[in-house]
Amino acid sequence: MVKQRVAQLEYSEFQSAMLDEEKRRRKAAKIIAVLEHFHGPLAGLTVGDVGCSAGFIADELALAGAKHTLGIDIDVPGLRKAADRFGERVAFVCGDGTALPFPDGSVDVLVFNHIYEHVVDPDSVVAEMHRVLSDDGVLYLGLGNRLGVMEPHYKLPFLSYLPPALADRYVRAFGRADHYYERFRTRRGLRRMLRAFHVWDYTFPVLATPTKFAGGELFPGLPGRVVKAVLSRTPREVLRLLLPVVPTYLWVATKTPRRPVGAALPQPPERVRPL
């Protein structure tokens, strides 16, 4: 019997990573650097963080110069913490991503960072973000890959490869959870989910130039320097062979065709071929 998925309410209450302020702000720095490389400064824009939880990323977006910053989530305890700390800079809204409470074309920039695997209907959320995004707007996406070997939430290899019933048994056997809630998609599935958008892939640019994109936390220390050197010099044709199993994709999506405005990079962003 397949267990019906329900919304993950109060996510910050059982996922401590959402309250790790230092780590969340480092992620925000990377997100902002990617957005500014693709689009330019955020000054004067209306920016929304879909799945904001305790609000650290939304706060950084506001500090980066956004004229209006919105944080949207169904995580009520997280939203309360966010509003108490950052309510003067950010408007926090308790709302479902499948019915965003904003007019058509009213938001210039949206952030959807490692959220899709947690929502019941990610396709509907993506459709809503397409609706509220302005015609020249930008959507930042951090997307976990089902074929990434190490599952990021439970740190169990090949967990996301398994069908739900076996995945439930796996997490129970290792005492990580009662069942495995998250649902990841392959790169092909993600391309299908974003088929209404024009998408640019920033995965290898960020990995190969971590300092520029504030992504040093991805591979710290000596291993990071080695990875950076290898990635910055590896031919793109070789790197493309790794794309199906890269654990996380960093994509920027737009409703109308656009190109990055930032400086040239050792590994430049590339268009994601639409399905």
Side-chain angles (χ1 to χ4, degrees), residues 3 6 10 16 25 36 39 42 49 55-56 79 104-105 108 119 123 132 134 138 169 195 220 237 245:
K3 184 179 293 185
V6 295
E10 302 183 345
S16 60
R25 290 193 184 275
E36 290 183 339
H39 174 81
L42 303 183
D49 182 13
F56 300 119
L79 287 172
D104 295 359
D108 300 305
V119 302
D123 295 288
V132 304
S134 63
V138 177
R169 293 180 185 179
R195 60 188 178 275
E237 294 75 15
V245 294

Side-chain angles (χ1 to χ4, degrees), residues 233-251:
R233 293 171 172 80
T234 302
R236 199 53 171 263
E237 294 75 15
V238 175
L239 291 178
R240 289 193 192 103
L241 298 176
L242 302 175
L243 282 173
V245 294
V246 168
T248 298
Y249 302 116
L250 306 178
W251 288 357

Side-chain angles (χ1 to χ4, degrees), residues 104 130 175 191 224 238 252:
D104 295 359
H130 189 278
R191 286 165 57 205
V238 175
V252 172

Side-chain angles (χ1 to χ4, degrees), residues 136-198:
D136 59 350
V138 177
L139 168 62
Y140 174 95
L141 299 137
L143 302 165
N145 177 14
R146 183 179 179 183
L147 299 184
V149 173
M150 185 63 69
E151 203 282 342
H153 303 88
Y154 302 94
K155 309 303 181 186
L156 294 171
F158 302 109
L159 173 60
S160 56
Y161 284 53
L162 300 176
L166 288 178
D168 288 348
R169 293 180 185 179
Y170 192 8
V171 295
R172 284 198 297 267
F174 283 84
R176 303 294 170 86
D178 292 331
H179 72 282
Y180 182 52
Y181 181 90
E182 289 72 18
R183 295 290 183 269
F184 286 97
R185 301 185 182 191
T186 63
R187 181 178 175 85
R188 182 176 180 82
L190 294 169
R191 286 165 57 205
R192 185 178 298 111
M193 185 172 75
L194 275 296
R195 60 188 178 275
F197 287 91
H198 302 267

Side-chain angles (χ1 to χ4, degrees), residues 3-16 18 51-53 72-79 94-97 113-122 151 153-154 168 176-184:
K3 184 179 293 185
Q4 184 177 4
R5 296 183 82 215
V6 295
Q8 284 186 308
L9 302 173
E10 302 183 345
Y11 187 65
S12 62
E13 294 289 279
F14 59 87
Q15 180 50 266
S16 60
M18 303 306 295
C52 66
S53 191
I72 308 98
D73 210 316
I74 55 174
D75 177 7
V76 173
L79 287 172
C94 184
D96 189 328
N113 187 51
H114 294 287
I115 302 296
Y116 88 90
E117 71 269 22
H118 297 286
V119 302
V120 176
D121 187 357
E151 203 282 342
H153 303 88
Y154 302 94
D168 288 348
R176 303 294 170 86
D178 292 331
H179 72 282
Y180 182 52
Y181 181 90
E182 289 72 18
R183 295 290 183 269
F184 286 97

